[in-house]
Amino acid sequence: MIRRYSRFTVPKWAKITLFSALAVLIIVLGCGIYVYNTAQHARTEGFEASEDFALKNTDLETADEVTRFNGEHVYHVVKGKQADGEDAIAYVKKGEKDPKQIIYTTDTADEQQVESSWKTACGAECEMDDVRLGLYDDAPAWEVTYRDEQDRLGYSYYTLDGSEQLESFALSSQYQ
């Protein structure tokens, strides 16, 4: 005997399959959101404490931005203004409690000049990934990450004013 269904009735197996697929999708989406939030929290953990520490122990009056720099140690870079309106940058080692360990500068940081100098040095074949404040030999500098013509990950370090390249290197593709 042939079983026939009305056009408006859905077979039981189709309902079960649809609800199972929907449940799996919701679980996968929930896990993805949880992993993303956990990773973001770990990346920005301690920003507020470093900002407060820099404001208390330096001439910074306000903090405009806090970023992360991974060098020999993890640093939180607090960029802000002094009471006289002059820009300043404080490099706080993550979890540091000694004010003497803060690296503080009022030198001007010119991101556009760094980008221009990097384009001139690297050429048209390179693709810039990121420009961020960092440290080079414990001195404030710009770190430029990029991909070169051989698709290698490269790092270039420039002075804060962007006029001089301090070092540049690219990682072999086997280490990526």
Side-chain angles (χ1 to χ4, degrees), residues 15-141:
K15 288 179 187 176
I16 292 172
T17 303
L18 180 65
F19 287 127
S20 298
L22 189 59
V24 168
L25 181 66
I26 289 171
I27 290 170
V28 167
L29 184 64
C31 288
I33 290 171
Y34 172 77
V35 167
Y36 175 79
N37 285 335
T38 303
Q40 281 298 96
H41 176 70
R43 190 180 66 79
T44 59
E45 182 180 16
F47 275 16
E48 286 182 30
S50 293
E51 180 180 331
D52 292 342
F53 187 68
L55 290 172
K56 281 184 200 164
N57 296 294
T58 65
D59 291 336
L60 278 175
E61 187 73 22
T62 62
D64 300 328
E65 177 184 23
V66 180
T67 58
R68 179 182 173 116
F69 173 71
N70 295 309
E72 189 174 324
H73 303 283
V74 176
Y75 286 91
H76 292 163
V77 183
V78 182
K79 197 173 171 186
K81 294 194 183 306
Q82 298 183 136
D84 62 2
E86 187 177 6
D87 290 334
I89 305 165
Y91 295 83
V92 180
K93 205 181 287 185
K94 185 176 179 181
E96 185 60 58
K97 300 292 183 219
D98 183 7
K100 294 176 185 171
Q101 297 297 317
I102 296 175
I103 299 171
Y104 186 75
T105 184
T106 56
D107 293 342
T108 56
D110 190 353
E111 188 171 347
Q112 287 77 25
Q113 178 62 41
V114 169
E115 289 178 9
S116 175
S117 296
W118 174 82
K119 284 182 195 259
T120 303
C122 196
E125 303 84 29
C126 297
E127 181 182 331
M128 184 182 296
D129 288 338
D130 192 24
V131 177
R132 70 178 59 202
L133 287 167
L135 293 171
Y136 181 80
D137 286 337
D138 291 332

